[in-house]
């Protein structure tokens, strides 16, 4: 046997696993359609510079990049947002706004494979472009919640933590941090929950080099700001700053919209979230599971400058990505994965070569009419065929022996209670539809 295994962090999906992925994608698609989103797709392989210039440092370190045979520098996509921004940008002028698009594709990141993080994962992307106000942010956060609620999860299982890079930038400006250094300070804020005090102070000192702001005081103030958890607290911290007060009016609109739609229990204010990707400009958020390992299920935010940077018009945008890996772990933990049942509805048992032509004709017709049908490719005896029908997971058997064919009938047999009935071959399609809807009583005299 060959010992060539699949690569670390890449999954093989046997049918049982692929069925779960199918379920996940089905729920995502239904939720997006309910919000009027249309599905799109982009190439898996892209020019390297699409990501090195647009995604941000953390993702760039994780790129699966190489040179193709034509000498082009290329990369597997680590995310879909830059491709989306390019595609929308190229045709935006002719598109009715707002644009509501969703995609579900495999993304690739060279990360250390571990629980919840792999090198290849599926991700739902939902993005709304062409609307700058908080109503669009609320729509995207609502959709993110409904994508989780669609699986049977509740507010007891997840929380969407909302933060705001705009408010952070205005706060840092109020502390005297120059605009150029603000992004560097935010990457220190990103590490507040994980870093040691010593490392954080060092990083803050580097971030603030050349300014008159004292790093240890800045660290203290950022920590206090990051720990704000309510609008009232934010209002008191913003009382003396007009720019921050103006931004809080947008916060109120965002929260009021989500409240009216019934999502108050699903969300929380949490300014420790700043997001690693470089393109975010305004509200940002991450969905986390509650309890357990508290892993991120989804992340997103507003990126108003990206479409223009990729050559398109000035088009505001907001969206999120939701991965299948942590989501599946959570659904398994909460026993929310439905039983895998995609076996055939009917297993046609052909008893002897004489019955074969009639059986083949009928089963081909049944398949054309939409039934899921399997049959014995090779001749076999009844006990073996019953076993085969059970293994296939069929609900019913359809038996064709010499006497059935001579009488112009097929015998339907319930695999559950073994009851049987004869159905004229000319009547097969409506009779079997009735059997699926009502059970065997539909055909028993
Ligand atoms: P992200 O936070 O990098 O954002 O990824 C979003 C989600 O994808 C994560 O919360 C996680 O569920 C999943 N994910 C990311 N990396 C991995 C991994 N290595 N293994 C398993 N799952 C992973 C973005 O990708 C943005 N482009 C989202 C976005 C769309 N923003 C605006 N529109």
């Amino acid at each position: 046997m060959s010992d060539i295994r699949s690569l670390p962090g890449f999954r093989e999906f046997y049918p049982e696993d692929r069925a779960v992925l199918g379920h996940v994608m089905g729920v995502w698609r239904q939720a997006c359609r309910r919000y009027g989103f249309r599905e799109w797709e982009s190439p898996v392989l892209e020019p390297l510079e699409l990501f090195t210039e647009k995604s941000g440092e953390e993702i760039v370190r994780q790129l699966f990049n190489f040179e193709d045979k034509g000498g082009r520098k290329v990369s597997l996509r680590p995310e879909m947002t830059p491709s989306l921004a390019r595609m929308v940008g190229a045709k935006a002028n002719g598109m009715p706004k707002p644009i509501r698009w969703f995609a579900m594709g495999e993304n690739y990141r060279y990360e250390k494979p571990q629980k919840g993080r792999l090198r290849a994962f599926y991700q739902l992307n939902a993005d709304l472009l062409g609307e700058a106000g908080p109503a669009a942010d609320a729509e995207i956060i609502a959709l993110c919640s409904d994508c989780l609620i669609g699986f049977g999860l509740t507010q007891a299982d997840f929380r969407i933590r909302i933060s705001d890079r705009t408010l952070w930038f205005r706060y840092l400006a109020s502390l005297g941090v120059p605009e150029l250094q603000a992004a560097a300070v935010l990457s220190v804020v990103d590490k507040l929950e994980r870093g040691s005090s010593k490392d954080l102070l060092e990083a803050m000192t580097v971030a603030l080099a050349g300014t008159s702001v004292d790093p240890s005081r800045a660290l203290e103030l950022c920590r206090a700001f990051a720990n704000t958890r309510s609008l009232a607290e934010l209002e008191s911290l913003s009382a003396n700053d007009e720019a921050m007060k103006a931004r809080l009016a947008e916060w109120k609109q965002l929260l009021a919209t989500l409240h009216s739609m019934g999502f108050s229990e699903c969300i929380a204010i949490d300014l420790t979230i700043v997001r690693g990707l470089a393109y975010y400009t305004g509200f940002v958020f991450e969905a986390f599971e509650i309890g357990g390992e508290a892993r991120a299920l989804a992340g997103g935010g507003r990126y108003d400058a990206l479409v223009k940077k990729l050559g398109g018009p000035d088009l505001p945008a907001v969206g999120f990505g939701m991965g299948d890996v942590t989501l599946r772990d959570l659904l398994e933990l909460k026993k929310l994965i439905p039983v895998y049942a995609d076996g055939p509805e009917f297993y046609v048992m052909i008893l002897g070569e004489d019955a074969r032509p009639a059986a083949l004709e009928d089963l081909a017709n049944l398949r054309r009419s939409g039934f899921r049908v399997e049959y014995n490719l090779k001749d076999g005896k009844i006990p073996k065929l019953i076993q085969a029908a059970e293994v296939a997971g069929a609900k019913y058997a359809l038996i064709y022996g010499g006497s059935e064919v001579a009488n112009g009938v097929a015998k339907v047999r319930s695999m559950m209670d073994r009851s049987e009935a004869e159905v004229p071959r000319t009547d097969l399609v409506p009779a079997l539809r009735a059997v699926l809807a009502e059970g065997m009583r539909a055909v028993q005299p």
Side-chain angles (χ1 to χ4, degrees), residues 53-54 85 278-281 304-314:
E53 290 185 15
K54 311 301 171 203
Y279 46 67
Y280 290 116
T281 52
D304 282 347
L306 191 62
V307 176
K308 191 164 183 200
K309 271 194 196 149
L310 284 160
D314 208 351

Side-chain angles (χ1 to χ4, degrees), residues 11 58-59 62 78-82 84 107-112 114 116-127 275-277 279-280 285-287 295-303 317-327:
R11 285 168 293 174
E58 194 174 314
I59 278 200
Q62 299 167 344
E79 58 159 338
M80 298 180 80
T81 312
L84 166 92
N107 291 355
Y108 309 88
R109 298 186 191 178
Y110 201 86
E111 299 202 46
K112 187 167 176 277
Q114 52 191 293
R117 290 206 94 77
L118 299 174
R119 289 185 175 167
F121 57 95
Y122 287 88
Q123 196 193 53
L124 164 70
N125 279 259
D127 294 87
R275 307 277 294 144
L277 294 160
Y279 46 67
Y280 290 116
F285 61 89
E286 278 183 27
R295 285 177 189 279
L297 299 164
R302 182 165 277 287
Y303 51 102
V318 55
F320 71 88
M322 180 180 289
D324 72 313
V325 184
T326 45
L327 177 64

Side-chain angles (χ1 to χ4, degrees), residues 11-22:
R11 285 168 293 174
E12 295 175 314
F13 289 85
Y14 284 84
E16 298 78 9
D17 289 322
R18 186 59 185 77
V20 176
L21 179 63

